[in-house]
Amino acid sequence: METSPLSTRNSPLTHKYAFTLVEVLIVMAIIAVLAGITFPVFAFARRSAQRSACINNMHQLSVNMHLYLQDYNGVFPSFRIDPQNRTHADDLAYWHDRFCQGRSPDGISWVSVLTPYGRSQSSDENYLHCPAEHHPYTPQATSYELKMWLALGRNDFEIPSPTDLALFWEQWSFHDAVPTSEYDRRSNLLIAFFDGHAKPVALEKTTSARYGSGPDLHWFFNAPDSKTQGLGGHDIID
């Protein structure tokens, strides 16, 4: 018995099912909700990983610095080794940018001085840059900065409190949603201290910000007033 063409077209086996508009909208809404939940989690995990990598970078730099100090009788890298010192001897702003921040990648800076010690530890020089770096000054030798007071030819025995004196820090708050500078009270910078530990610090909590005109980690903090006489050399007091 033959099946008529009409009965074949109307057979349940040949019926094609399509999503209704309401069903499509429901699926899209579910996907949007799931994305709203998971994307912030992924972003937080990414930021946490970058922060951990940055702290590891600073630990590596601290190790390199201590190896250098062992070879040079405890004397820190100084901008005076640069031949340009003859013409810019007293221009500390110049040395802040050139030597302590490394804004001239091909010039002499604390980075170029410590590079041989880094190579003895690892062939990878990515530790010189924060993975979250988005720096306004490019190209840059490093994301990190050496304390200017140390670059004046200081010796490690001049440091009264190794746990509270900042050795290196991020030049900008790379891990903040809106990066701010090392002079901005709103900044949260990762700081490596002379004793080797590193942690994030809100600059409004630095001694210079609390007892001075603003956050300024570059110098040896030694406030003249009687209330802060005991804070000589302490950049951070918890």
Side-chain angles (χ1 to χ4, degrees), residues 111-186:
V111 177
S112 60
V113 173
L114 293 189
T115 294
Y117 297 90
R119 287 173 180 165
S120 67
Q121 303 297 312
S122 172
S123 60
D124 184 3
E125 294 187 6
N126 287 336
Y127 65 86
L128 294 173
H129 293 274
C130 170
E133 176 183 329
H134 30 288
H135 206 292
Y137 305 111
T138 54
Q140 195 91 353
T142 181
S143 305
Y144 310 107
E145 177 175 344
L146 174 66
K147 188 180 185 73
M148 186 73 190
W149 181 77
L150 299 174
L152 296 172
R154 303 295 179 182
N155 196 295
D156 58 3
F157 66 72
E158 297 181 69
I159 298 175
S161 180
T163 60
D164 297 317
L165 185 129
L167 177 61
F168 302 110
W169 57 84
E170 296 177 301
Q171 296 182 22
W172 286 72
S173 59
F174 298 127
H175 302 279
D176 287 348
V178 179
T180 45
S181 80
E182 58 183 327
Y183 298 101
D184 195 318
R185 288 175 179 267
R186 299 169 298 172

Side-chain angles (χ1 to χ4, degrees), residues 60-153:
Q60 176 70 65
L61 292 171
S62 296
V63 169
N64 297 347
M65 177 61 80
H66 283 278
L67 291 173
Y68 175 91
L69 292 174
Q70 289 178 14
D71 286 346
Y72 289 88
N73 298 319
V75 179
F76 286 91
S78 171
F79 62 80
R80 295 189 176 95
I81 65 174
D82 191 326
Q84 293 292 331
N85 183 51
R86 298 174 184 175
T87 55
H88 297 83
D90 299 322
D91 190 351
L92 294 184
Y94 175 86
W95 294 115
H96 169 266
D97 296 350
R98 179 180 174 87
F99 189 83
C100 294
Q101 286 196 335
R103 288 195 195 174
S104 301
D106 298 329
I108 296 176
S109 67
W110 69 266
V111 177
S112 60
V113 173
L114 293 189
T115 294
Y117 297 90
R119 287 173 180 165
S120 67
Q121 303 297 312
S122 172
S123 60
D124 184 3
E125 294 187 6
N126 287 336
Y127 65 86
L128 294 173
H129 293 274
C130 170
E133 176 183 329
H134 30 288
H135 206 292
Y137 305 111
T138 54
Q140 195 91 353
T142 181
S143 305
Y144 310 107
E145 177 175 344
L146 174 66
K147 188 180 185 73
M148 186 73 190
W149 181 77
L150 299 174
L152 296 172

